[in-house]
Amino acid sequence: MKRLPPLPALHTFLVTAQHCNFTRAAQQLHITQGAVSRQIAGLEEHLGYPLFQRQARGLALTREGQDWLPRVQQIFALVEQGVREVGGRSSTLQLKAPTCVMRWLLPRLMEWQALRPDVPVELTTTVQHGVDFRHEGFDAAVVYGAVPNHGLQVRKLFDEQLTPVCAPSLLNGPLPLQQLQDLTRHMLLHPSRDEHDWRLWLQAAGAGFEPQGPKQHFETLDMAMAMASQGTGIAIGDWALIGDDLRGGRLCMPFGLKVTTGKGYYLVSPSKTMAAGLVELMEWLQERARH
């Protein structure tokens, strides 16, 4: 039986194949270009055929190299998965959440850490609204959208409720906000390019007009809220997420109408047998969402 090729040489092959360049591979691996070249040559000698064609402008995979690449990628993907799943998890809980929920979530996590320093939480933020626990090594996640129904452990935090928000200084400024038509005299801040949230609220309010005045778009809800708090314009916000801003006087609601969209925020976990610390965190966050 032929001896298996050494794992470090396979890793060097993987990185080199991704770049098709010895110099860039050496930079990523933090070794010399000569060391990369020697490892590849040794691997080729061990296998008995070349993996790369040396060309004037760099490298190209041979047919055998092309056949090897997906297999080596799979090997290291399995190793990475094993590190995550087989005794390699930190005692720190790994939580994923979209940026739109940060205004509510971050102060609660800071409060949790003060109460329970023995159950630390590492938060990863993303512009994505979902999670794929099959390929992402998180213990739990906050997701936004419809009710998740993929066999997950699901705890509802709150429904999305849209309402315009602005800095208190705008209410009685040079262009006071007293009726719906006054919105046309102010810049509207949109948390997305499609302007769907503003249109939905205006329709529910019976405004009879679509936003045609000055506008500005942002990549995230949090950015729109930040600009609104500075008096730049009026944003469409989620009432459930801005309670701290309202109580602190950074934002106010010029109109009382809150429109439920059918979407919401949910705390999800992939496992039915969760660690005690994770169960406590999820129950605590759900309880805080009720207040």
Side-chain angles (χ1 to χ4, degrees), residues 79-92:
V79 171
E80 183 180 351
Q81 181 179 353
V83 169
R84 291 198 309 264
E85 296 180 357
V86 185
R89 278 183 179 266
S90 165
S91 59
T92 300

Side-chain angles (χ1 to χ4, degrees), residues 2-290:
K2 190 169 183 178
R3 184 170 54 89
L4 294 175
L7 195 62
L10 288 177
H11 185 235
T12 299
F13 163 74
L14 175 61
V15 175
T16 306
Q18 291 170 340
H19 294 288
C20 277
N21 184 286
F22 281 152
T23 301
R24 287 199 289 271
Q27 291 171 346
Q28 181 172 333
L29 293 167
H30 302 289
I31 58 178
T32 66
Q33 180 179 340
V36 172
S37 181
R38 288 191 294 273
Q39 287 193 40
I40 295 298
L43 181 59
E44 291 175 328
E45 182 179 356
H46 178 93
L47 295 173
Y49 43 77
L51 299 170
F52 294 96
Q53 294 175 347
R54 279 69 171 175
Q55 300 175 339
R57 295 187 177 180
L59 303 173
L61 286 168
T62 63
R63 183 173 180 178
E64 291 81 3
Q66 293 173 3
D67 289 342
W68 260 107
L69 181 56
R71 291 171 168 82
V72 176
Q73 288 173 327
Q74 185 176 19
I75 289 170
F76 282 94
L78 288 171
V79 171
E80 183 180 351
Q81 181 179 353
V83 169
R84 291 198 309 264
E85 296 180 357
V86 185
R89 278 183 179 266
S90 165
S91 59
T92 300
L93 296 177
Q94 302 295 320
L95 179 65
K96 177 184 180 182
T99 56
C100 56
V101 79
M102 283 303 102
R103 299 181 83 82
W104 180 86
L105 180 61
L106 200 54
R108 274 76 192 170
L109 286 181
M110 293 175 66
E111 184 181 349
W112 167 262
Q113 295 293 215
L115 292 170
R116 294 296 306 273
D118 59 313
V119 187
V121 180
E122 184 173 305
L123 176 64
T124 298
T125 60
T126 174
V127 295
Q128 300 172 347
H129 291 158
V131 65
D132 184 352
F133 288 114
R134 296 170 300 175
H135 302 104
E136 299 179 87
F138 296 104
D139 297 295
V142 177
V143 298
Y144 162 76
V147 182
N149 58 355
H150 303 295
L152 303 174
Q153 293 292 299
V154 179
R155 296 176 184 270
K156 184 176 181 179
L157 294 176
F158 32 68
D159 292 314
E160 180 180 48
Q161 299 181 70
L162 299 179
T163 188
V165 294
C166 65
S169 59
L170 260 63
L171 287 181
N172 299 307
L175 301 173
L177 276 169
Q178 297 177 351
Q179 53 189 354
L180 290 176
Q181 197 66 33
D182 294 336
L183 289 170
T184 61
R185 303 189 295 170
H186 290 268
M187 177 176 289
L188 299 189
L189 309 178
H190 297 271
S192 62
R193 290 282 173 184
D194 59 16
E195 304 182 4
H196 172 75
D197 290 351
W198 262 115
R199 288 195 173 93
L200 184 65
W201 187 88
L202 288 169
Q203 182 179 9
F209 62 89
E210 288 197 359
Q212 300 295 333
K215 66 182 70 173
Q216 191 168 357
H217 299 90
F218 298 90
E219 296 300 323
T220 65
L221 176 67
D222 195 57
M223 291 174 64
M225 294 297 102
M227 293 302 292
S229 67
Q230 296 176 27
T232 303
I234 306 169
I236 191 75
D238 187 340
W239 178 81
L241 301 179
I242 59 173
D244 292 344
D245 294 285
L246 294 173
R247 286 187 290 271
R250 293 179 294 275
L251 292 171
C252 66
M253 293 171 51
F255 307 100
L257 176 65
K258 299 188 291 288
V259 177
T260 302
T261 66
K263 297 180 180 180
Y265 294 87
Y266 301 87
L267 191 57
V268 298
S269 176
S271 174
K272 294 183 178 180
T273 55
M274 295 182 291
L278 179 58
V279 173
E280 292 177 34
L281 173 63
M282 294 180 72
E283 290 179 347
W284 186 85
L285 285 173
Q286 189 177 35
E287 179 63 25
R288 296 294 284 119
R290 296 191 182 105

